[in-house]
PDB file of all heavy atoms in Angstrom:
ATOM      1  N   LYS A 283     -36.956  41.601 -23.721  1.00  0.00           N
ATOM      2  CA  LYS A 283     -37.099  43.032 -23.539  1.00  0.00           C
ATOM      3  C   LYS A 283     -38.023  43.687 -24.567  1.00  0.00           C
ATOM      4  O   LYS A 283     -37.825  44.830 -24.943  1.00  0.00           O
ATOM      5  CB  LYS A 283     -35.721  43.745 -23.519  1.00  0.00           C
ATOM      6  CG  LYS A 283     -34.810  43.218 -22.418  1.00  0.00           C
ATOM      7  CD  LYS A 283     -33.587  44.111 -22.260  1.00  0.00           C
ATOM      8  CE  LYS A 283     -32.663  43.609 -21.107  1.00  0.00           C
ATOM      9  NZ  LYS A 283     -31.493  44.448 -20.898  1.00  0.00           N
ATOM     10  N   THR A 284     -39.018  42.936 -24.985  1.00  0.00           N
ATOM     11  CA  THR A 284     -39.980  43.527 -25.934  1.00  0.00           C
ATOM     12  C   THR A 284     -40.788  44.617 -25.283  1.00  0.00           C
ATOM     13  O   THR A 284     -41.337  45.513 -25.959  1.00  0.00           O
ATOM     14  CB  THR A 284     -40.971  42.436 -26.462  1.00  0.00           C
ATOM     15  OG1 THR A 284     -41.575  41.793 -25.361  1.00  0.00           O
ATOM     16  CG2 THR A 284     -40.228  41.437 -27.305  1.00  0.00           C
ATOM     17  N   ASP A 285     -40.824  44.632 -23.925  1.00  0.00           N
ATOM     18  CA  ASP A 285     -41.547  45.679 -23.182  1.00  0.00           C
ATOM     19  C   ASP A 285     -40.772  46.988 -23.256  1.00  0.00           C
ATOM     20  O   ASP A 285     -41.283  48.050 -22.851  1.00  0.00           O
ATOM     21  CB  ASP A 285     -41.713  45.279 -21.710  1.00  0.00           C
ATOM     22  CG  ASP A 285     -40.410  44.910 -21.032  1.00  0.00           C
ATOM     23  OD1 ASP A 285     -39.708  43.966 -21.538  1.00  0.00           O
ATOM     24  OD2 ASP A 285     -40.036  45.541 -20.055  1.00  0.00           O
ATOM     25  N   MET A 286     -39.485  46.958 -23.728  1.00  0.00           N
ATOM     26  CA  MET A 286     -38.651  48.176 -23.765  1.00  0.00           C
ATOM     27  C   MET A 286     -38.734  48.818 -25.180  1.00  0.00           C
ATOM     28  O   MET A 286     -38.061  49.820 -25.408  1.00  0.00           O
ATOM     29  CB  MET A 286     -37.209  47.818 -23.451  1.00  0.00           C
ATOM     30  CG  MET A 286     -37.009  47.202 -22.058  1.00  0.00           C
ATOM     31  SD  MET A 286     -37.278  48.443 -20.763  1.00  0.00           S
ATOM     32  CE  MET A 286     -35.833  49.452 -21.004  1.00  0.00           C
ATOM     33  N   ILE A 287     -39.515  48.208 -26.067  1.00  0.00           N
ATOM     34  CA  ILE A 287     -39.631  48.782 -27.414  1.00  0.00           C
ATOM     35  C   ILE A 287     -40.878  49.703 -27.442  1.00  0.00           C
ATOM     36  O   ILE A 287     -42.010  49.245 -27.253  1.00  0.00           O
ATOM     37  CB  ILE A 287     -39.796  47.659 -28.459  1.00  0.00           C
ATOM     38  CG1 ILE A 287     -38.511  46.754 -28.440  1.00  0.00           C
ATOM     39  CG2 ILE A 287     -39.979  48.240 -29.857  1.00  0.00           C
ATOM     40  CD1 ILE A 287     -38.608  45.552 -29.363  1.00  0.00           C
ATOM     41  N   PHE A 288     -40.600  50.942 -27.608  1.00  0.00           N
ATOM     42  CA  PHE A 288     -41.705  51.946 -27.551  1.00  0.00           C
ATOM     43  C   PHE A 288     -42.071  52.536 -28.917  1.00  0.00           C
ATOM     44  O   PHE A 288     -43.144  53.108 -29.059  1.00  0.00           O
ATOM     45  CB  PHE A 288     -41.282  53.081 -26.580  1.00  0.00           C
ATOM     46  CG  PHE A 288     -40.893  52.583 -25.221  1.00  0.00           C
ATOM     47  CD1 PHE A 288     -39.589  52.661 -24.801  1.00  0.00           C
ATOM     48  CD2 PHE A 288     -41.837  52.039 -24.374  1.00  0.00           C
ATOM     49  CE1 PHE A 288     -39.198  52.183 -23.538  1.00  0.00           C
ATOM     50  CE2 PHE A 288     -41.501  51.597 -23.124  1.00  0.00           C
ATOM     51  CZ  PHE A 288     -40.150  51.663 -22.691  1.00  0.00           C
ATOM     52  N   THR A 289     -41.215  52.418 -29.866  1.00  0.00           N
ATOM     53  CA  THR A 289     -41.492  52.941 -31.197  1.00  0.00           C
ATOM     54  C   THR A 289     -42.480  52.000 -31.925  1.00  0.00           C
ATOM     55  O   THR A 289     -42.215  50.781 -31.997  1.00  0.00           O
ATOM     56  CB  THR A 289     -40.212  53.143 -32.012  1.00  0.00           C
ATOM     57  OG1 THR A 289     -39.319  53.980 -31.280  1.00  0.00           O
ATOM     58  CG2 THR A 289     -40.517  53.783 -33.361  1.00  0.00           C
ATOM     59  N   GLU A 290     -43.519  52.504 -32.471  1.00  0.00           N
ATOM     60  CA  GLU A 290     -44.505  51.688 -33.175  1.00  0.00           C
ATOM     61  C   GLU A 290     -43.905  50.964 -34.360  1.00  0.00           C
ATOM     62  O   GLU A 290     -43.190  51.558 -35.162  1.00  0.00           O
ATOM     63  CB  GLU A 290     -45.700  52.556 -33.651  1.00  0.00           C
ATOM     64  CG  GLU A 290     -46.836  51.739 -34.175  1.00  0.00           C
ATOM     65  CD  GLU A 290     -48.020  52.634 -34.537  1.00  0.00           C
ATOM     66  OE1 GLU A 290     -48.057  53.823 -34.137  1.00  0.00           O
ATOM     67  OE2 GLU A 290     -48.912  52.126 -35.245  1.00  0.00           O
TER      68      GLU A 290
END
Side-chain angles (χ1 to χ4, degrees):
K283 300 191 179 183
T284 54
D285 56 301
M286 300 290 289
I287 299 175
F288 304 110
T289 305
E290 188 177 345

